Protein backbone atom coordinates (compact mmCIF):
# COMPACT_ATOMS: atom_id res chain seq x y z
CA UNK A 1 0.00 0.00 0.00
CA UNK A 2 1.33 3.46 -0.85
CA UNK A 3 1.84 5.69 2.13
CA UNK A 4 0.06 8.98 2.55
CA UNK A 5 2.06 12.05 1.54
CA UNK A 6 3.30 14.08 4.49
CA UNK A 7 0.71 16.67 5.43
CA UNK A 8 -1.96 15.27 3.09
CA UNK A 9 -5.06 15.00 5.26
CA UNK A 10 -7.37 13.90 2.44
CA UNK A 11 -9.23 10.62 2.80
CA UNK A 12 -7.81 7.64 0.96
CA UNK A 13 -9.57 6.32 -2.11
CA UNK A 14 -8.19 2.77 -2.17
CA UNK A 15 -7.92 1.30 -5.68
CA UNK A 16 -5.95 -1.50 -7.29
CA UNK A 17 -3.28 -0.16 -9.68
CA UNK A 18 -5.30 -0.89 -12.83
CA UNK A 19 -8.40 0.86 -11.47
CA UNK A 20 -6.32 3.81 -10.27
CA UNK A 21 -4.90 4.27 -13.76
CA UNK A 22 -8.38 3.93 -15.26
CA UNK A 23 -9.67 6.60 -12.90
CA UNK A 24 -6.82 8.95 -13.83
CA UNK A 25 -7.68 8.45 -17.49
CA UNK A 26 -11.32 9.27 -16.70
CA UNK A 27 -10.23 12.45 -14.90
CA UNK A 28 -8.18 13.50 -17.95
CA UNK A 29 -11.24 12.87 -20.14
CA UNK A 30 -13.40 14.93 -17.77
CA UNK A 31 -10.89 17.78 -17.95
CA UNK A 32 -10.86 17.62 -21.76
CA UNK A 33 -14.67 17.84 -21.75
CA UNK A 34 -14.52 20.90 -19.47
CA UNK A 35 -12.01 22.50 -21.83
CA UNK A 36 -14.32 21.78 -24.78
CA UNK A 37 -17.22 23.38 -22.88
CA UNK A 38 -15.18 26.51 -22.20
CA UNK A 39 -14.06 26.70 -25.85
CA UNK A 40 -17.66 26.31 -27.04
CA UNK A 41 -18.83 29.04 -24.66
CA UNK A 42 -16.13 31.28 -26.10
CA UNK A 43 -17.58 30.71 -29.56
CA UNK A 44 -21.15 31.06 -28.23
CA UNK A 45 -21.89 27.58 -29.63
CA UNK A 46 -24.52 26.16 -27.30
CA UNK A 47 -24.88 22.97 -29.37
CA UNK A 48 -21.17 22.25 -28.84
CA UNK A 49 -21.53 23.07 -25.14
CA UNK A 50 -24.35 20.53 -24.81
CA UNK A 51 -22.38 17.91 -26.76
CA UNK A 52 -19.27 18.37 -24.60
CA UNK A 53 -21.33 18.36 -21.40
CA UNK A 54 -22.89 15.04 -22.39
CA UNK A 55 -19.40 13.49 -22.18
CA UNK A 56 -19.38 14.06 -18.40
CA UNK A 57 -23.09 13.80 -17.67
CA UNK A 58 -24.75 11.01 -15.74
CA UNK A 59 -25.44 7.63 -17.29
CA UNK A 60 -26.14 4.22 -15.79
CA UNK A 61 -22.69 3.05 -16.89
CA UNK A 62 -21.04 6.10 -15.32
CA UNK A 63 -23.02 5.53 -12.13
CA UNK A 64 -21.90 1.91 -11.92
CA UNK A 65 -18.28 2.93 -12.50
CA UNK A 66 -18.49 5.54 -9.71
CA UNK A 67 -19.97 2.96 -7.34
CA UNK A 68 -17.20 0.49 -8.18
CA UNK A 69 -14.43 3.08 -7.82
CA UNK A 70 -15.82 4.30 -4.51
CA UNK A 71 -16.56 0.88 -3.03
CA UNK A 72 -13.80 1.21 -0.42
CA UNK A 73 -14.14 4.95 0.31
CA UNK A 74 -17.24 6.03 2.26
CA UNK A 75 -18.81 9.12 0.73
CA UNK A 76 -16.93 8.99 -2.56
CA UNK A 77 -19.74 7.55 -4.69
CA UNK A 78 -22.35 10.19 -3.78
CA UNK A 79 -19.80 12.93 -4.43
CA UNK A 80 -18.87 11.42 -7.81
CA UNK A 81 -22.51 10.98 -8.80
CA UNK A 82 -23.19 14.59 -7.80
CA UNK A 83 -20.46 15.68 -10.22
CA UNK A 84 -22.10 13.88 -13.14
CA UNK A 85 -25.60 15.09 -12.27
CA UNK A 86 -24.36 18.65 -11.85
CA UNK A 87 -22.65 18.37 -15.24
CA UNK A 88 -26.04 17.45 -16.71
CA UNK A 89 -27.26 20.94 -15.82
CA UNK A 90 -24.65 22.45 -18.17
CA UNK A 91 -26.22 20.68 -21.13
CA UNK A 92 -29.73 21.55 -19.97
CA UNK A 93 -28.86 25.25 -19.86
CA UNK A 94 -27.11 25.05 -23.24
CA UNK A 95 -30.15 23.44 -24.85
CA UNK A 96 -32.24 26.36 -23.53
CA UNK A 97 -29.71 28.79 -25.04
CA UNK A 98 -29.05 30.14 -21.53
CA UNK A 99 -25.40 31.27 -21.61
CA UNK A 100 -25.56 32.59 -18.03
CA UNK A 101 -27.09 29.31 -16.89
CA UNK A 102 -24.29 27.41 -18.65
CA UNK A 103 -21.68 29.46 -16.80
CA UNK A 104 -23.45 29.01 -13.44
CA UNK A 105 -23.76 25.27 -14.03
CA UNK A 106 -20.12 25.04 -15.11
CA UNK A 107 -19.13 26.86 -11.91
CA UNK A 108 -21.15 24.41 -9.76
CA UNK A 109 -19.68 21.47 -11.67
CA UNK A 110 -16.13 22.70 -11.16
CA UNK A 111 -16.92 23.26 -7.47
CA UNK A 112 -17.76 19.54 -7.23
CA UNK A 113 -14.38 18.72 -8.85
CA UNK A 114 -12.47 20.91 -6.42
CA UNK A 115 -14.40 19.53 -3.45
CA UNK A 116 -13.78 15.91 -4.42
CA UNK A 117 -10.08 16.44 -5.09
CA UNK A 118 -9.79 18.31 -1.77
CA UNK A 119 -11.47 15.40 0.05
CA UNK A 120 -9.92 12.28 -1.55
CA UNK A 121 -6.56 11.04 -2.76
CA UNK A 122 -5.87 7.82 -4.58
CA UNK A 123 -4.20 5.10 -2.58
CA UNK A 124 -3.02 2.19 -4.67
CA UNK A 125 -3.60 -1.12 -2.90
CA UNK A 126 -2.92 -4.72 -3.84
CA UNK A 127 -5.74 -6.98 -5.01
CA UNK A 128 -6.05 -8.78 -1.67
CA UNK A 129 -6.43 -5.48 0.19
CA UNK A 130 -9.04 -4.34 -2.36
CA UNK A 131 -11.01 -7.56 -1.92
CA UNK A 132 -10.88 -7.23 1.86
CA UNK A 133 -11.93 -3.56 1.81
CA UNK A 134 -14.83 -4.16 -0.57
CA UNK A 135 -16.04 -7.50 0.80
CA UNK A 136 -18.62 -5.85 3.04
CA UNK A 137 -20.01 -3.50 0.39
CA UNK A 138 -23.44 -4.36 -1.09
CA UNK A 139 -22.21 -4.13 -4.69
CA UNK A 140 -19.61 -6.88 -4.22
Amino acid sequence: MMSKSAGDARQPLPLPAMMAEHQKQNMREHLAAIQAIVAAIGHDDMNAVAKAASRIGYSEAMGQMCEHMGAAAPGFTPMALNFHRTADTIGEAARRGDRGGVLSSLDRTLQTCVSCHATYRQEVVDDETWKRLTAATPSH
Side-chain angles (χ1 to χ4, degrees), residues 70-90:
F76 177 84
T77 298
M79 192 174 277
L81 295 175
N82 185 52
F83 163 77
H84 295 291
R85 290 191 173 109
T86 303
D88 284 338
T89 67
I90 298 168

PDB file of all heavy atoms in Angstrom, residues 70-90:
ATOM      1  N   GLY A  70     -15.677   3.819  -5.877  1.00  0.00           N
ATOM      2  CA  GLY A  70     -15.822   4.296  -4.511  1.00  0.00           C
ATOM      3  C   GLY A  70     -16.182   3.229  -3.499  1.00  0.00           C
ATOM      4  O   GLY A  70     -16.473   3.543  -2.353  1.00  0.00           O
ATOM      5  N   ALA A  71     -16.121   1.972  -3.897  1.00  0.00           N
ATOM      6  CA  ALA A  71     -16.564   0.878  -3.026  1.00  0.00           C
ATOM      7  C   ALA A  71     -15.820   0.811  -1.699  1.00  0.00           C
ATOM      8  O   ALA A  71     -16.364   0.329  -0.708  1.00  0.00           O
ATOM      9  CB  ALA A  71     -16.449  -0.460  -3.758  1.00  0.00           C
ATOM     10  N   ALA A  72     -14.584   1.302  -1.650  1.00  0.00           N
ATOM     11  CA  ALA A  72     -13.796   1.212  -0.420  1.00  0.00           C
ATOM     12  C   ALA A  72     -13.579   2.579   0.230  1.00  0.00           C
ATOM     13  O   ALA A  72     -12.758   2.705   1.131  1.00  0.00           O
ATOM     14  CB  ALA A  72     -12.446   0.556  -0.714  1.00  0.00           C
ATOM     15  N   ALA A  73     -14.314   3.592  -0.229  1.00  0.00           N
ATOM     16  CA  ALA A  73     -14.137   4.949   0.313  1.00  0.00           C
ATOM     17  C   ALA A  73     -15.503   5.553   0.630  1.00  0.00           C
ATOM     18  O   ALA A  73     -16.175   6.061  -0.260  1.00  0.00           O
ATOM     19  CB  ALA A  73     -13.381   5.822  -0.671  1.00  0.00           C
ATOM     20  N   PRO A  74     -15.934   5.482   1.892  1.00  0.00           N
ATOM     21  CA  PRO A  74     -17.236   6.033   2.264  1.00  0.00           C
ATOM     22  C   PRO A  74     -17.381   7.486   1.809  1.00  0.00           C
ATOM     23  O   PRO A  74     -16.486   8.299   2.000  1.00  0.00           O
ATOM     24  CB  PRO A  74     -17.244   5.931   3.790  1.00  0.00           C
ATOM     25  CG  PRO A  74     -16.278   4.822   4.100  1.00  0.00           C
ATOM     26  CD  PRO A  74     -15.213   4.919   3.038  1.00  0.00           C
ATOM     27  N   GLY A  75     -18.511   7.771   1.177  1.00  0.00           N
ATOM     28  CA  GLY A  75     -18.808   9.121   0.734  1.00  0.00           C
ATOM     29  C   GLY A  75     -18.348   9.461  -0.668  1.00  0.00           C
ATOM     30  O   GLY A  75     -18.800  10.442  -1.242  1.00  0.00           O
ATOM     31  N   PHE A  76     -17.447   8.664  -1.238  1.00  0.00           N
ATOM     32  CA  PHE A  76     -16.931   8.986  -2.564  1.00  0.00           C
ATOM     33  C   PHE A  76     -18.004   8.868  -3.639  1.00  0.00           C
ATOM     34  O   PHE A  76     -18.147   9.760  -4.482  1.00  0.00           O
ATOM     35  CB  PHE A  76     -15.735   8.091  -2.933  1.00  0.00           C
ATOM     36  CG  PHE A  76     -15.233   8.351  -4.328  1.00  0.00           C
ATOM     37  CD1 PHE A  76     -14.348   9.382  -4.579  1.00  0.00           C
ATOM     38  CD2 PHE A  76     -15.671   7.573  -5.392  1.00  0.00           C
ATOM     39  CE1 PHE A  76     -13.902   9.641  -5.865  1.00  0.00           C
ATOM     40  CE2 PHE A  76     -15.231   7.817  -6.686  1.00  0.00           C
ATOM     41  CZ  PHE A  76     -14.342   8.854  -6.923  1.00  0.00           C
ATOM     42  N   THR A  77     -18.747   7.780  -3.626  1.00  0.00           N
ATOM     43  CA  THR A  77     -19.735   7.551  -4.686  1.00  0.00           C
ATOM     44  C   THR A  77     -20.767   8.668  -4.765  1.00  0.00           C
ATOM     45  O   THR A  77     -21.002   9.196  -5.860  1.00  0.00           O
ATOM     46  CB  THR A  77     -20.396   6.170  -4.529  1.00  0.00           C
ATOM     47  OG1 THR A  77     -19.378   5.163  -4.667  1.00  0.00           O
ATOM     48  CG2 THR A  77     -21.469   5.946  -5.577  1.00  0.00           C
ATOM     49  N   PRO A  78     -21.385   9.085  -3.655  1.00  0.00           N
ATOM     50  CA  PRO A  78     -22.349  10.186  -3.778  1.00  0.00           C
ATOM     51  C   PRO A  78     -21.715  11.464  -4.325  1.00  0.00           C
ATOM     52  O   PRO A  78     -22.338  12.187  -5.104  1.00  0.00           O
ATOM     53  CB  PRO A  78     -22.860  10.407  -2.348  1.00  0.00           C
ATOM     54  CG  PRO A  78     -22.530   9.157  -1.613  1.00  0.00           C
ATOM     55  CD  PRO A  78     -21.348   8.546  -2.288  1.00  0.00           C
ATOM     56  N   MET A  79     -20.477  11.733  -3.940  1.00  0.00           N
ATOM     57  CA  MET A  79     -19.799  12.927  -4.434  1.00  0.00           C
ATOM     58  C   MET A  79     -19.550  12.812  -5.938  1.00  0.00           C
ATOM     59  O   MET A  79     -19.754  13.773  -6.687  1.00  0.00           O
ATOM     60  CB  MET A  79     -18.484  13.139  -3.673  1.00  0.00           C
ATOM     61  CG  MET A  79     -17.865  14.491  -3.914  1.00  0.00           C
ATOM     62  SD  MET A  79     -16.405  14.784  -2.871  1.00  0.00           S
ATOM     63  CE  MET A  79     -17.191  15.312  -1.366  1.00  0.00           C
ATOM     64  N   ALA A  80     -19.130  11.635  -6.385  1.00  0.00           N
ATOM     65  CA  ALA A  80     -18.874  11.416  -7.809  1.00  0.00           C
ATOM     66  C   ALA A  80     -20.169  11.509  -8.616  1.00  0.00           C
ATOM     67  O   ALA A  80     -20.198  12.125  -9.688  1.00  0.00           O
ATOM     68  CB  ALA A  80     -18.207  10.053  -8.018  1.00  0.00           C
ATOM     69  N   LEU A  81     -21.223  10.916  -8.106  1.00  0.00           N
ATOM     70  CA  LEU A  81     -22.510  10.984  -8.804  1.00  0.00           C
ATOM     71  C   LEU A  81     -23.023  12.422  -8.867  1.00  0.00           C
ATOM     72  O   LEU A  81     -23.603  12.836  -9.877  1.00  0.00           O
ATOM     73  CB  LEU A  81     -23.532  10.072  -8.131  1.00  0.00           C
ATOM     74  CG  LEU A  81     -23.228   8.577  -8.192  1.00  0.00           C
ATOM     75  CD1 LEU A  81     -24.259   7.792  -7.384  1.00  0.00           C
ATOM     76  CD2 LEU A  81     -23.150   8.085  -9.625  1.00  0.00           C
ATOM     77  N   ASN A  82     -22.798  13.183  -7.807  1.00  0.00           N
ATOM     78  CA  ASN A  82     -23.193  14.587  -7.803  1.00  0.00           C
ATOM     79  C   ASN A  82     -22.472  15.351  -8.908  1.00  0.00           C
ATOM     80  O   ASN A  82     -23.065  16.205  -9.572  1.00  0.00           O
ATOM     81  CB  ASN A  82     -22.917  15.217  -6.437  1.00  0.00           C
ATOM     82  CG  ASN A  82     -23.415  16.640  -6.365  1.00  0.00           C
ATOM     83  OD1 ASN A  82     -24.558  16.938  -6.667  1.00  0.00           O
ATOM     84  ND2 ASN A  82     -22.526  17.538  -5.971  1.00  0.00           N
ATOM     85  N   PHE A  83     -21.196  15.040  -9.134  1.00  0.00           N
ATOM     86  CA  PHE A  83     -20.460  15.678 -10.221  1.00  0.00           C
ATOM     87  C   PHE A  83     -21.176  15.449 -11.550  1.00  0.00           C
ATOM     88  O   PHE A  83     -21.428  16.393 -12.308  1.00  0.00           O
ATOM     89  CB  PHE A  83     -19.022  15.142 -10.302  1.00  0.00           C
ATOM     90  CG  PHE A  83     -18.360  15.442 -11.621  1.00  0.00           C
ATOM     91  CD1 PHE A  83     -17.879  16.712 -11.898  1.00  0.00           C
ATOM     92  CD2 PHE A  83     -18.257  14.461 -12.587  1.00  0.00           C
ATOM     93  CE1 PHE A  83     -17.286  17.000 -13.127  1.00  0.00           C
ATOM     94  CE2 PHE A  83     -17.660  14.733 -13.818  1.00  0.00           C
ATOM     95  CZ  PHE A  83     -17.175  16.006 -14.084  1.00  0.00           C
ATOM     96  N   HIS A  84     -21.497  14.204 -11.849  1.00  0.00           N
ATOM     97  CA  HIS A  84     -22.104  13.883 -13.140  1.00  0.00           C
ATOM     98  C   HIS A  84     -23.499  14.500 -13.275  1.00  0.00           C
ATOM     99  O   HIS A  84     -23.862  15.005 -14.348  1.00  0.00           O
ATOM    100  CB  HIS A  84     -22.138  12.369 -13.359  1.00  0.00           C
ATOM    101  CG  HIS A  84     -20.772  11.799 -13.471  1.00  0.00           C
ATOM    102  ND1 HIS A  84     -19.942  12.047 -14.539  1.00  0.00           N
ATOM    103  CD2 HIS A  84     -20.061  11.002 -12.634  1.00  0.00           C
ATOM    104  CE1 HIS A  84     -18.790  11.432 -14.361  1.00  0.00           C
ATOM    105  NE2 HIS A  84     -18.835  10.796 -13.203  1.00  0.00           N
ATOM    106  N   ARG A  85     -24.254  14.496 -12.200  1.00  0.00           N
ATOM    107  CA  ARG A  85     -25.600  15.086 -12.267  1.00  0.00           C
ATOM    108  C   ARG A  85     -25.528  16.607 -12.378  1.00  0.00           C
ATOM    109  O   ARG A  85     -26.343  17.230 -13.073  1.00  0.00           O
ATOM    110  CB  ARG A  85     -26.428  14.637 -11.069  1.00  0.00           C
ATOM    111  CG  ARG A  85     -26.772  13.149 -11.182  1.00  0.00           C
ATOM    112  CD  ARG A  85     -27.811  12.696 -10.184  1.00  0.00           C
ATOM    113  NE  ARG A  85     -28.189  11.330 -10.454  1.00  0.00           N
ATOM    114  CZ  ARG A  85     -27.862  10.284  -9.691  1.00  0.00           C
ATOM    115  NH1 ARG A  85     -27.156  10.466  -8.597  1.00  0.00           N
ATOM    116  NH2 ARG A  85     -28.260   9.073 -10.021  1.00  0.00           N
ATOM    117  N   THR A  86     -24.554  17.214 -11.726  1.00  0.00           N
ATOM    118  CA  THR A  86     -24.363  18.652 -11.852  1.00  0.00           C
ATOM    119  C   THR A  86     -23.928  18.990 -13.274  1.00  0.00           C
ATOM    120  O   THR A  86     -24.382  19.981 -13.856  1.00  0.00           O
ATOM    121  CB  THR A  86     -23.335  19.157 -10.816  1.00  0.00           C
ATOM    122  OG1 THR A  86     -23.787  18.795  -9.509  1.00  0.00           O
ATOM    123  CG2 THR A  86     -23.173  20.658 -10.866  1.00  0.00           C
ATOM    124  N   ALA A  87     -23.080  18.160 -13.854  1.00  0.00           N
ATOM    125  CA  ALA A  87     -22.648  18.366 -15.238  1.00  0.00           C
ATOM    126  C   ALA A  87     -23.839  18.311 -16.195  1.00  0.00           C
ATOM    127  O   ALA A  87     -23.847  19.013 -17.218  1.00  0.00           O
ATOM    128  CB  ALA A  87     -21.594  17.337 -15.621  1.00  0.00           C
ATOM    129  N   ASP A  88     -24.837  17.509 -15.874  1.00  0.00           N
ATOM    130  CA  ASP A  88     -26.043  17.454 -16.713  1.00  0.00           C
ATOM    131  C   ASP A  88     -26.703  18.824 -16.835  1.00  0.00           C
ATOM    132  O   ASP A  88     -27.290  19.148 -17.874  1.00  0.00           O
ATOM    133  CB  ASP A  88     -27.067  16.470 -16.139  1.00  0.00           C
ATOM    134  CG  ASP A  88     -26.712  15.018 -16.379  1.00  0.00           C
ATOM    135  OD1 ASP A  88     -25.941  14.728 -17.314  1.00  0.00           O
ATOM    136  OD2 ASP A  88     -27.220  14.167 -15.619  1.00  0.00           O
ATOM    137  N   THR A  89     -26.607  19.635 -15.792  1.00  0.00           N
ATOM    138  CA  THR A  89     -27.263  20.944 -15.824  1.00  0.00           C
ATOM    139  C   THR A  89     -26.586  21.891 -16.815  1.00  0.00           C
ATOM    140  O   THR A  89     -27.221  22.847 -17.271  1.00  0.00           O
ATOM    141  CB  THR A  89     -27.342  21.589 -14.422  1.00  0.00           C
ATOM    142  OG1 THR A  89     -26.026  21.920 -13.962  1.00  0.00           O
ATOM    143  CG2 THR A  89     -28.060  20.677 -13.437  1.00  0.00           C
ATOM    144  N   ILE A  90     -25.332  21.631 -17.151  1.00  0.00           N
ATOM    145  CA  ILE A  90     -24.653  22.445 -18.165  1.00  0.00           C
ATOM    146  C   ILE A  90     -25.356  22.248 -19.508  1.00  0.00           C
ATOM    147  O   ILE A  90     -25.701  23.213 -20.198  1.00  0.00           O
ATOM    148  CB  ILE A  90     -23.160  22.068 -18.288  1.00  0.00           C
ATOM    149  CG1 ILE A  90     -22.415  22.312 -16.979  1.00  0.00           C
ATOM    150  CG2 ILE A  90     -22.506  22.838 -19.447  1.00  0.00           C
ATOM    151  CD1 ILE A  90     -21.012  21.701 -16.943  1.00  0.00           C
TER     152      ILE A  90
END
